[in-house]
C-alpha cells in the first residue's frame, strides 16, 4: 500500500482566532458547525492539494501535523516506536469509519495516521481518478470538456461559412486531340 498524505491539522490555543486567520489569509472555507467547534477546511483547490482542519489543542500547545493513510494504525505505531519514535495517541475511532492515531518522530514532530472507511477510501480514489482523467496527459490529448468545446467551435464555423462549390470542366484527352487537329 502507498501511504498518501490525506489530511492536515492545525492545533491552536485559540482555535476560533486561528480559523479566522487562515480564512482571511487564504480564503479557505472553514466549517466549525459541530459540537467540538473543529473547523473543517475546504481549501477550494478543485482537485489539487488536500483539505484539513483547525481545532483546539488538547494539551495547550500549538502544533501542525499531517495525516498519512494506513490500513493498520496499530502496527504503524509499533513500527514508529521500533524506529525511534513514540506514541502520542492510541488509535481512536472518530466516527464515520475514521480511525486515527498520533506519533512523534525522533525529532518530536507529531504525525497522524488515519484509516478511512472503505467507502470513503473508494470515493476518494474515484475522485482522484476523475481528476486524473480530466487533465491532459501530456501527449496532446485534451479533456473531454475541451474536446467538446473544440468540436462545437468547429461545427459552428462549418455552419457559418459553408464551403463554396466550384464547377470545373473536365477536359478529356479526346477533346484536346480534336482541338489540336484543327
Amino acid at each position: 500500500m502507498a501511504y498518501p498524505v490525506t489530511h492536515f491539522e492545525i492545533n491552536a490555543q485559540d482555535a476560533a482566532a486561528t480559523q479566522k486567520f487562515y480564512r482571511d489569509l487564504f480564503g479557505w472555507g472553514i466549517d466549525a458547525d459541530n459540537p467540538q467547534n473543529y473547523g473543517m477546511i475546504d481549501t477550494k483547490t478543485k482537485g489539487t492539494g488536500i483539505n484539513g482542519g483547525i481545532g483546539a489543542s488538547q494539551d495547550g500547545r500549538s502544533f501542525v501535523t499531517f495525516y498519512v493513510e494506513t490500513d493498520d494504525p496499530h502496527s504503524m505505531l509499533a513500527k514508529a516506536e521500533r524506529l525511534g519514535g513514540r506514541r502520542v495517541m492510541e488509535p481512536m475511532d472518530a466516527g464515520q469509519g475514521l480511525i486515527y492515531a498520533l506519533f512523534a518522530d525522533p525529532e518530536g514532530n507529531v504525525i497522524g495516521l488515519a484509516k478511512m472507511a472503505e467507502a470513503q477510501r473508494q470515493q476518494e480514489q474515484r475522485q482522484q481518478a476523475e481528476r486524473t482523467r480530466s487533465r491532459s496527459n501530456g501527449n496532446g490529448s485534451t479533456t473531454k470538456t475541451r474536446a467538446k468545446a473544440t468540436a462545437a467551435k468547429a461545427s459552428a464555423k462549418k455552419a457559418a461559412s459553408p464551403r463554396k462549390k466550384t464547377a470545373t470542366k473536365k477536359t478529356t484527352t479526346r477533346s484536346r486531340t480534336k482541338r489540336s487537329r484543327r
Side-chain angles (χ1 to χ4, degrees), residues 14-34:
D14 185 346
T18 304
Q19 292 166 5
K20 181 181 180 336
F21 173 82
Y22 283 102
R23 182 183 302 115
D24 294 347
L25 180 63
F26 295 127
W28 290 345
I30 300 177
D31 179 9
D33 187 19
N34 56 64

Side-chain angles (χ1 to χ4, degrees), residues 63-83:
F63 64 93
V64 175
T65 193
F66 61 89
Y67 288 80
V68 178
E69 175 70 20
T70 180
D71 286 335
D72 189 354
H74 289 283
S75 67
M76 291 303 290
L77 283 175
K79 185 175 182 178
E81 286 178 317
R82 285 192 307 272
L83 296 171

